[in-house]
Amino acid sequence: MTTRNTNSRPSGPGGSEWLFGIGMTFGQDTPAHGTMRSGPWMTGPDGAPNAAALGVLIDDTLTLAAVLRRPASHWLVTTEVSIDHVAPLPLDGRTLTSRGEVVSADSGGALATGTIQDESGQALALMSLRSRYVPGVPEQQPPGMTDPALADGPPAEEPARPEYPEPERKSLLSMLDASLEPEDGQVKLRMPGDPFLGNLRGTLHGGIALCASQLAASYWLPAEEGMSIASTRITYLRGLELSGPVEFTARPVHHGRTFRLIEVTSRTASGKPATIATVSGYAGSARES
């Protein structure tokens, strides 16, 4: 486990973005763009580059693209995210860039699609998000999101924000303060229910849930067996409360030599499913592209 200095990190919305070093730019009539610098921290439980490192960048990019098309006095709830990983992640410090745009939207919700690529233009992931628009706007706004489209009235002057030091990044599990524990033919990823990793509504950030689900599935997709994540589809059924520890349970549905399918489920404190992800892995899928 990793002990963090909680006095030197954001306490409101934006904790996940600070942790992963994500910056976002956007506009009412332009696609959403995000950046994240790669590094040796983007590794999973086997020490190999892991697609889970893209979870927050993917969620932020597609959510932001879709929220700009919301009806007045409404906000967005993500229902599904799908990703296809097409090349291995670099760990050498080069900047990764995301792009997201809405391809269909009405008063009920939106479908947004996008890509992530490295500095050479190599595509790393293709992604899509489905969402629903719901009445009500969170009182807090994401850091830096001062575009008028995100407000129901005149934009307020953005308050000065303190400068935070760079977080310690060693591996994805250490960043989430998470552990992987095999148990009865399954593996459980356990992490604290830390409000630091919450979204604007106070539940677990969707990109963190995506990252955790992929990390849990990675236990069954080790690099030493030639496996890596090829695709992920996650469904968000209800918010995950952060009043206590959060747990993601991964079980193999199919465990072949060259193709595997893993199901990962998280549950609320009352035992109801919160997220359900299916993660597929292939031998050499994104490692030799």
Side-chain angles (χ1 to χ4, degrees), residues 22-36 56-69 76 96-103 111-117 125 127 129 142 144-145 147 149-150:
I22 292 170
M24 296 297 303
T25 60
F26 56 95
Q28 183 66 28
D29 300 314
T30 60
H33 293 270
T35 58
M36 182 176 73
V56 176
L57 181 61
I58 288 171
D59 183 72
D60 279 2
T61 303
L62 297 180
T63 296
L64 187 53
V67 82
L68 291 170
R69 299 285 294 273
L76 174 144
L96 310 184
T97 303
S98 63
R99 174 188 173 99
E101 55 190 325
V102 171
V103 296
L111 170 65
T113 63
T115 59
I116 295 178
Q117 63 184 36
M127 57 208 193
L129 173 147
M145 293 189 182
D147 191 286
L150 294 179

Side-chain angles (χ1 to χ4, degrees), residues 7 11 63 81 92-93 117 129 160 183 215 238 243 262 279:
N7 294 322
S11 58
T63 296
V81 172
D92 57 4
Q117 63 184 36
L129 173 147
E183 184 178 297
L215 281 176
R238 47 183 59 86
S243 56
I262 314 301
V279 181

Side-chain angles (χ1 to χ4, degrees), residues 96-224:
L96 310 184
T97 303
S98 63
R99 174 188 173 99
E101 55 190 325
V102 171
V103 296
S104 176
D106 56 29
S107 61
L111 170 65
T113 63
T115 59
I116 295 178
Q117 63 184 36
D118 65 15
E119 292 176 357
S120 72
Q122 167 66 56
L124 302 176
L126 310 177
M127 57 208 193
S128 66
L129 173 147
R130 288 188 177 274
S131 60
R132 303 297 297 169
Y133 295 128
V134 296
V137 178
E139 293 183 6
Q140 292 181 298
Q141 295 294 312
M145 293 189 182
T146 56
D147 191 286
L150 294 179
D152 286 321
E157 181 178 349
E158 185 179 14
R161 298 183 184 278
E163 292 294 327
Y164 295 100
E166 285 290 311
E168 183 179 22
R169 300 186 182 105
K170 292 183 177 180
S171 70
L172 293 171
L173 281 175
S174 69
M175 286 166 62
L176 299 182
D177 198 14
S179 64
L180 281 177
E181 303 171 17
E183 184 178 297
D184 299 328
Q186 305 177 124
V187 64
K188 294 182 182 292
L189 182 147
R190 293 187 171 97
M191 55 184 285
D194 193 337
F196 163 73
L197 297 177
N199 57 26
L200 296 178
R201 296 184 180 275
T203 56
L204 186 67
H205 190 295
I208 297 294
L210 172 58
C211 176
S213 296
Q214 291 180 311
L215 281 176
S218 295
Y219 176 87
W220 304 102
L221 306 170
E224 58 265 28

